[in-house]
Amino acid sequence: RICVITLAEAHPLLQSGKTIKNINYQISANCSRLQNKVSGKSKRGAQFLTELAPLCRISSSDGEEYTIYSCIRGRLIEVNENILSNPALLQEKPSTEGYIAVVLPKFEESKSITQGLLTQKEYEEVLMKRRSSAS
């Protein structure tokens, strides 16, 4: 029931051959995801995220900035600090070492969250529709 947040295969940062300039976990003047301190079995101190909570901002070398959102309600267990010093991990290994964060949804909500996810086939169909409407 733990959720690893990564960039989708279809994300513009992974598609267009862009270079990632930097990653910033500082969401606002008072909120940095790097300040998240989790302890104990009940994950005390973890920041609580909603579906629309920003996790980080990624800047590319062409000046574009992308805000990456949690998309899941739950507690922020950890952020991947390795991508701060090596942003290329996001592009080279997006589904493993290049993850963005780990979120733990509430136990009661975890089943409804997983039931609402798309299968790989459904996801590919959405992408095909998106591509055909764009052209």
Side-chain angles (χ1 to χ4, degrees):
R1 77 181 185 98
I2 199 160
C3 300
V4 179
I5 311 294
T6 64
L7 288 179
E9 293 172 16
H11 195 282
L13 280 167
L14 300 181
Q15 292 299 307
S16 55
K18 294 184 180 200
T19 306
I20 296 173
K21 191 168 69 175
N22 80 329
I23 298 153
N24 190 355
Y25 283 111
Q26 185 76 36
I27 301 308
S28 67
N30 300 328
C31 181
S32 172
R33 299 298 181 209
L34 292 172
Q35 301 303 314
N36 191 52
K37 299 291 179 231
V38 180
S39 65
K41 201 164 101 176
S42 61
K43 308 301 177 212
R44 261 189 318 280
Q47 296 175 11
F48 189 79
L49 304 171
T50 64
E51 296 92 330
L52 300 174
L55 285 172
C56 68
R57 291 189 178 80
I58 303 173
S59 302
S60 65
S61 54
D62 65 358
E64 288 283 331
E65 185 175 270
Y66 301 91
T67 301
I68 308 301
Y69 296 93
S70 169
C71 302
I72 289 184
R73 283 171 42 91
R75 294 183 181 275
L76 179 64
I77 302 304
E78 76 173 66
V79 294
N80 185 0
E81 293 185 36
N82 295 331
I83 61 175
L84 294 173
S85 58
N86 187 3
L89 281 175
L90 274 174
Q91 293 165 313
E92 294 166 5
K93 300 178 180 181
S95 58
T96 55
E97 295 171 48
Y99 71 96
I100 295 168
V102 177
V103 177
L104 182 66
K106 285 184 176 178
F107 183 75
E108 315 83 64
E109 295 177 8
S110 60
K111 189 167 187 141
S112 65
I113 289 170
T114 52
Q115 287 174 338
L117 296 174
L118 298 176
T119 64
Q120 183 68 30
K121 188 177 183 205
E122 290 170 332
Y123 175 67
E124 288 167 2
E125 288 170 4
V126 168
L127 291 179
M128 285 177 58
K129 285 178 189 170
R130 191 182 292 168
R131 285 186 196 118
S132 64
S133 67
S135 51

